[in-house]
Amino acid sequence: MAHQRGKGGPPVPTTKREAHELLLIEEADAWFEYLEATRAQSAIRYREVEPWAWARLNQRLRAVRAKRAKLRPAAAA
């Protein structure tokens, strides 16, 4: 993967394939964050944390879908 870094930030993809791969990684990371937040919790703590974790997961997945939608028209052109 030949990508560049933008001023200390996340990698900047140089191809559409790299952009797609980064989105897959971002999506997986969102799911792992959810699992990490909710696993091994007591029942009470799980009830407290799960709504936040689910909302955060959905927020991150919406962002991934939005980025994918921007890639699709560029790929079709």
Side-chain angles (χ1 to χ4, degrees):
M1 195 183 280
H3 57 264
Q4 303 168 355
R5 284 208 180 263
K7 297 204 181 200
V12 177
T14 56
T15 67
K16 290 179 185 117
R17 179 180 175 164
E18 287 177 1
H20 180 70
E21 289 173 358
L22 287 173
L23 288 174
L24 290 173
I25 292 167
E26 191 173 334
E27 182 177 7
D29 186 60
W31 279 103
F32 281 115
E33 180 186 53
Y34 172 81
L35 292 172
E36 192 174 299
T38 57
R39 73 173 172 216
Q41 300 292 340
S42 69
I44 294 170
R45 182 70 180 142
Y46 178 83
R47 282 193 302 265
E48 293 171 352
V49 171
E50 200 280 335
W52 169 85
W54 187 254
R56 172 82 173 136
L57 171 64
N58 281 308
Q59 177 186 33
R60 292 186 68 190
L61 293 178
R62 273 194 308 273
V64 168
R65 283 193 299 270
K67 290 176 186 176
R68 268 196 197 120
K70 288 180 184 177
L71 282 179
R72 281 192 191 113

